[in-house]
Amino acid sequence: MTQELFRQDAYLRETAATVTEVGPQGVVLDRTVFYPQGGGQAGDSGVLVLADGAALQVADTRKHKDAEGQPTAGIAHVPAPGQDALLARLRPGDQVLARIDWERRHKLMRFHTSTHLLCHLVPQLVNGCSITAEYARLDFSMTAPLEKEALTEGIARLVAAGLAVEVGAITDKELDANPALVKSMSVQPPRGSGRIRTIRIGGETGIDFQPCGGTHVANTSEIGGVIVTKIEKKSATTRRVVLGFS
């Protein structure tokens, strides 16, 4: 099991950790600041610094899977190619310093929070999502047209408002009583632990409140300049909105 430090503190850039497994899927640690790909958000990259100072480059982060291909409670840090000799030195029990590529992570946090603002501006169900360090996109289940300039202005207004972004949690039972909180048709919040992580933007003003496991900035003002770069009609019932940095 990997302790997911990023769930409560997305600003934590590094942590000391112990190697628990080294295998084909990557390096599994007992705790990490690396976010694994999921919920539409790309996995983190960075380095694992060994005790002698050597740095193993991490190209991606994924959820570790068992022999049947089912996700486990572990997180696999996927090494960049060409590091076989360094990787061979790692053993379970070794101590490392796990450090994310903060500049890239911060872009992911800004974009992910922007997609929540977009959900407020376009109150339709989402049937597709991709959040990278270069762009973010949401696919909305709808037939009506959308205006690029109006959405860009709406995002800018919410960014300038400096709205607080808060991490919280609800119970499975509370979610069952409020199914409309789930705005994604393609990604369902994980169940089983009894508590489901939530993101609330704007306090009780109701700008956005939904289950979400991703990383976010603490205030919308931190997003900076984000614009709608493209709106596409992907099908008769789907409109795609693509975001980029201005």
Side-chain angles (χ1 to χ4, degrees):
M1 178 177 179
T2 303
Q3 184 182 1
E4 302 174 336
L5 302 179
F6 53 83
R7 296 293 184 197
Q8 290 302 318
D9 187 0
Y11 291 85
L12 192 61
R13 305 185 187 192
E14 63 182 36
T15 184
T18 301
V19 175
T20 60
E21 181 180 332
V22 181
Q25 297 181 53
V27 181
V28 182
L29 306 175
D30 67 334
R31 63 206 310 256
T32 191
V33 293
F34 283 69
Y35 178 87
Q37 177 183 320
Q41 181 175 326
D44 279 326
S45 59
V47 295
L48 301 182
V49 183
L50 282 59
D52 63 358
L56 181 75
Q57 300 294 322
V58 176
D60 195 5
T61 310
R62 300 293 181 98
K63 294 175 182 176
H64 186 267
K65 296 182 178 180
D66 61 20
E68 284 71 45
Q70 297 301 310
T72 71
I75 292 177
H77 304 73
V78 183
Q83 303 181 96
D84 293 348
L86 186 56
L87 192 62
R89 291 168 48 189
L90 278 179
R91 297 286 186 276
D94 286 354
Q95 302 298 303
V96 298
L97 180 69
R99 178 185 297 140
I100 59 172
D101 179 339
W102 170 249
E103 183 177 352
R104 180 175 179 274
R105 155 68 80 77
H106 194 233
K107 290 178 180 178
L108 290 165
M109 291 164 60
R110 291 164 63 196
F111 268 142
H112 201 150
T113 309
S114 297
T115 64
H116 283 242
L117 300 183
L118 193 56
C119 284
H120 169 72
L121 297 170
V122 185
Q124 305 292 336
L125 288 175
V126 174
N127 59 18
C129 174
S130 178
I131 300 163
T132 75
E134 290 75 40
Y135 70 89
R137 67 164 174 81
L138 286 184
D139 294 342
F140 291 99
S141 179
M142 60 186 299
T143 58
L146 294 168
E147 295 184 7
K148 182 165 40 172
E149 292 75 14
L151 291 180
T152 292
E153 290 173 3
I155 291 172
R157 173 173 49 82
L158 295 171
V159 168
L163 303 169
V165 181
E166 303 168 293
V167 177
I170 57 175
T171 65
D172 290 356
K173 190 173 295 186
E174 287 173 316
L175 183 59
D176 290 337
N178 297 277
L181 291 178
V182 180
K183 300 178 182 180
S184 174
M185 301 167 63
S186 55
V187 179
Q188 292 298 311
R191 293 172 176 266
S193 66
R195 302 287 287 176
I196 298 170
R197 185 177 185 267
T198 60
I199 294 295
R200 183 187 295 273
I201 300 178
E204 298 303 321
T205 61
I207 294 300
D208 188 70
F209 179 55
Q210 61 178 295
C212 182
T215 59
H216 297 269
V217 295
N219 189 286
T220 60
S221 62
E222 197 175 330
I223 292 172
V226 167
I227 61 174
V228 176
T229 61
K230 184 188 300 184
I231 294 178
E232 298 178 273
K233 180 180 178 180
K234 298 303 293 183
S235 73
T237 57
T238 300
R239 298 295 182 272
R240 172 169 293 179
V241 180
V242 183
L243 303 176
F245 291 123
S246 60

